[in-house]
Amino acid sequence: MSFIRSHTIVAILIFAAVLATAGTAAAFPPGTLTGIDLPTVLTLDDRARAFSFELDGKKAPKKSLQKVRTIVIDPGHGGENSGALGVAEIKEKYLTMALAYRLRDQIHRKYPDVKVILTRYWDKDMSLTERVHFANLMGADMFMSLHYNAAVHDRAVGYETYFLLASEATPGEEEKKGEPIATAKNVVSGIETPIGTKKDGVYNDALVELKRDLDRERQHKESGLLAETIQNNLAKKLESTNRGVKQANFGVLRGALMPAVVVEAGFLTHPKEGQKVVEKNHREKVVKALIKSVEDFDAKLVERSKK
Ligand SMILES: [Zn+2]
């Protein structure tokens, strides 16, 4: 009797397990772990690591970062969006991922009290808006989108750093009126006009707008400073062509509330550089240049806040 009963119980348990598994498969979309998104788990892990560090009463390293406390690193592309394919035949999305992980680990090693969060932790497609929105949600002090370059011909070589065009960061007067902008230089911040043209009743709105404009202008200036800092450090580490700091209309930078840049670490399409960039040695140099940039930028922000 008890023999039969135990078998029945086993059968019920197996049936329940099968049901549960089938239910799991049906209820949660692919790429999720029992309904919990993996980036969420890893982000929580990053946060938990920082909190436990504080709770353990561990002091921050003597010379830690002061202003840059949360860094969001964005490994360019992912999933369906493979990015460029160069001479080494390795997709850009894998190279940016490797670079991002290494950078994250090295920052953690040096500054265990600083939060470093990736926008994606595995081969997953994400919209540009999602990446920036995520950085804003995390309250990041810095956003770095990592990429490798490609050109239609094989002569293009070197590294460059981008930040968002002023016209994209701050709508100028012409843009507000819907008129075409002649050049990026002509675009002004638009700080002067809102108060003068508005009626007394909407004075508070004007103040809010003024604050927003000032925030945008500061974000733009700091992005430029960060781009310059990164480009200078890449120049010290990489023996390639310095293509300079550039401003462009990059979707991945639009809407960012913190200093935000796109780093193009080298050309995948160049016969020599395309081979170099997939090597560990090149990746290490870029990582070192970026860590030094984080430190330099932090020091500049500290310096600025004293004025
Ligand atoms: Zn790219």
Side-chain angles (χ1 to χ4, degrees):
M1 189 67 183
S2 66
F3 175 75
I4 294 166
R5 196 176 289 157
S6 67
H7 261 80
T8 314
I9 291 167
V10 169
I12 289 169
L13 280 176
I14 291 170
F15 184 60
V18 169
L19 259 188
T21 318
T24 310
F28 306 116
T32 63
L33 191 69
T34 56
I36 302 165
D37 191 43
L38 197 54
T40 312
V41 175
L42 286 159
T43 304
L44 287 173
D45 174 63
D46 261 340
R47 290 174 142 189
R49 200 189 45 79
F51 283 129
S52 74
F53 182 83
E54 282 164 28
L55 284 175
D56 284 350
K58 284 182 193 161
K59 286 206 177 95
K62 258 186 189 165
K63 260 196 81 187
S64 189
L65 304 172
Q66 292 182 50
K67 297 281 180 186
V68 182
R69 303 294 301 165
T70 302
I71 302 169
V72 168
I73 302 170
D74 173 44
H77 312 278
E80 298 274 288
N81 173 4
S82 307
L85 183 67
V87 291
E89 307 234 315
I90 297 178
K91 289 169 181 167
E92 185 189 350
K93 63 174 183 179
Y94 296 125
L95 292 172
T96 57
M97 186 96 264
L99 180 61
Y101 265 104
R102 184 65 184 160
L103 179 59
R104 169 183 180 256
D105 291 349
Q106 291 303 101
I107 298 174
H108 272 166
R109 186 166 293 184
K110 201 163 180 190
Y111 302 108
D113 58 322
V114 169
K115 277 179 215 158
V116 185
I117 306 162
L118 307 194
T119 53
R120 64 179 182 98
Y121 286 85
W122 83 99
D123 189 21
K124 177 198 179 206
D125 196 5
M126 278 179 93
S127 77
L128 301 179
T129 323
E130 255 181 298
R131 295 170 198 251
V132 171
H133 183 60
F134 177 74
N136 287 344
L137 273 180
M138 290 297 124
D141 302 307
M142 181 188 279
F143 176 81
M144 287 189 276
S145 187
L146 307 179
H147 292 257
Y148 289 90
N149 238 328
V152 283
H153 54 80
D154 63 6
R155 297 180 303 280
V157 68
Y159 47 91
E160 54 198 16
T161 311
Y162 286 87
F163 68 112
L164 198 63
L165 266 175
S167 57
E168 290 295 325
T170 311
E173 278 313 292
E174 285 173 306
E175 205 181 358
K176 278 180 191 165
K177 285 182 213 153
E179 288 167 11
I181 302 154
T183 63
K185 271 187 190 167
N186 286 344
V187 179
V188 288
S189 63
I191 289 172
E192 306 86 351
T193 39
I195 287 181
T197 52
K198 291 214 169 161
K199 289 176 191 131
D200 290 339
V202 286
Y203 184 68
N204 281 336
D205 287 351
L207 276 185
V208 169
E209 208 167 304
L210 175 71
K211 164 91 170 61
R212 231 176 259 155
D213 276 347
L214 286 170
D215 284 347
R216 268 198 222 111
E217 194 176 69
R218 196 188 59 196
Q219 191 273 349
H220 182 69
K221 274 189 187 159
E222 287 181 355
S223 296
L225 181 67
L226 175 60
E228 201 179 286
T229 311
I230 289 175
Q231 194 64 17
N232 286 343
N233 282 306
L234 286 174
K236 284 177 197 159
K237 299 279 182 218
L238 299 177
E239 294 125 34
S240 186
T241 307
N242 183 347
R243 299 169 66 91
V245 169
K246 294 175 180 176
Q247 287 191 64
N249 176 7
F250 267 142
V252 73
L253 298 176
R254 209 175 305 132
L257 300 175
M258 72 299 299
V261 294
V262 166
V263 179
E264 298 275 4
F267 273 84
L268 295 172
T269 43
H270 188 268
K272 279 185 188 158
E273 192 164 71
Q275 297 292 350
K276 263 191 194 173
V277 291
V278 303
E279 286 165 16
K280 196 181 163 194
N281 184 39
H282 188 275
R283 194 152 47 247
E284 287 306 303
K285 284 179 183 172
V286 176
V287 165
K288 278 186 182 143
L290 292 177
I291 291 181
K292 184 71 170 60
S293 303
V294 172
E295 291 166 345
D296 290 353
F297 184 69
D298 184 71
K300 283 175 191 174
L301 290 185
V302 170
E303 193 58 40
R304 194 171 274 191
S305 69
K306 283 178 187 163
K307 282 177 190 168

